Amino acid sequence: MKTFSATPADIEKKWIIIDAEGVVLGRLASIVAMRLRGKHKATFTPHMDTGDNVIVINADKIQMTGKKRTDKTYYWHTGHPGGIKSRTAEQILEGKHPERVVTKAVQRMLPGNRLSRQIMTNLRVYAGAEHPHEAQAPEVLDVKSMNSKNTRS
């Protein structure tokens, strides 16, 4: 029996929509990363983008366990001397772009290479319930019902 290796002709991409309202951030990010990478498929090939296109809605209503909402800090550097800056997860979620928390969590669960930068283009995250991808007829993936630990009230 030979090992299967997917070619571009073998790849079938689906559109999946996930509602993040009340879902724990890390659990959501791991499921999304797995779907983006294509590891849920029997045709998974490590060097090919075999994953699905994922739409995450209600990213501003994500939950975090413990005190992560106030204590988790996101750092970045401006490039100038002494230019390190930081914001807490709460500040980002209440700010202009709350979807960046979900995007960063998913990005950090993927390997740091060219392929994962290409895979990240298949992720669309929206703060509200509206999204412009109705024409793709996305299938709903209910993350809440997968495991009781996926949600917090």
Side-chain angles (χ1 to χ4, degrees):
M1 186 166 186
K2 292 196 172 189
T3 302
F4 176 78
S5 185
T7 60
D10 297 330
I11 298 171
E12 288 184 30
K13 288 185 166 285
K14 287 198 268 181
W15 284 79
I16 295 171
I17 187 164
I18 298 174
D19 188 1
E21 186 174 356
V23 181
V24 177
L25 176 64
R27 288 176 169 270
L28 173 79
S30 66
I31 291 166
V32 171
M34 183 185 69
R35 292 280 170 164
L36 284 172
R37 189 95 198 275
K39 287 198 159 192
H40 64 290
K41 297 181 178 180
T43 59
F44 171 70
T45 305
H47 65 277
M48 297 291 292
D49 179 11
T50 57
D52 296 331
N53 291 295
V54 179
I55 304 162
V56 179
I57 57 171
N58 291 322
D60 56 344
K61 297 179 181 120
I62 198 88
Q63 294 293 318
M64 292 184 180
T65 58
K67 295 195 286 182
K68 290 190 194 88
R69 198 172 196 86
T70 55
D71 293 352
K72 185 170 177 62
T73 310
Y74 292 89
Y75 294 98
W76 71 96
H77 199 283
T78 62
H80 295 286
I84 190 118
K85 298 198 174 210
S86 65
R87 284 206 182 115
T88 63
E90 189 171 40
Q91 288 172 326
I92 295 172
L93 286 170
E94 292 172 359
K96 242 183 183 176
H97 303 284
E99 63 275 0
R100 288 182 183 169
V101 172
V102 176
T103 306
K104 267 300 177 200
V106 172
Q107 180 185 356
R108 290 172 177 175
M109 288 195 180
L110 293 171
N113 56 21
R114 282 177 288 178
L115 180 60
S116 57
R117 287 190 290 276
Q118 178 189 342
I119 288 171
M120 281 299 290
T121 62
N122 298 329
L123 174 67
R124 279 99 174 161
V125 184
Y126 298 100
E130 304 294 318
H131 66 88
H133 304 288
E134 289 299 325
Q136 281 75 26
E139 296 175 11
V140 176
L141 180 67
D142 191 13
V143 176
K144 289 181 184 178
S145 66
M146 287 177 154
N147 190 335
S148 60
K149 293 179 180 179
N150 287 357
T151 58
R152 292 274 189 256
S153 55

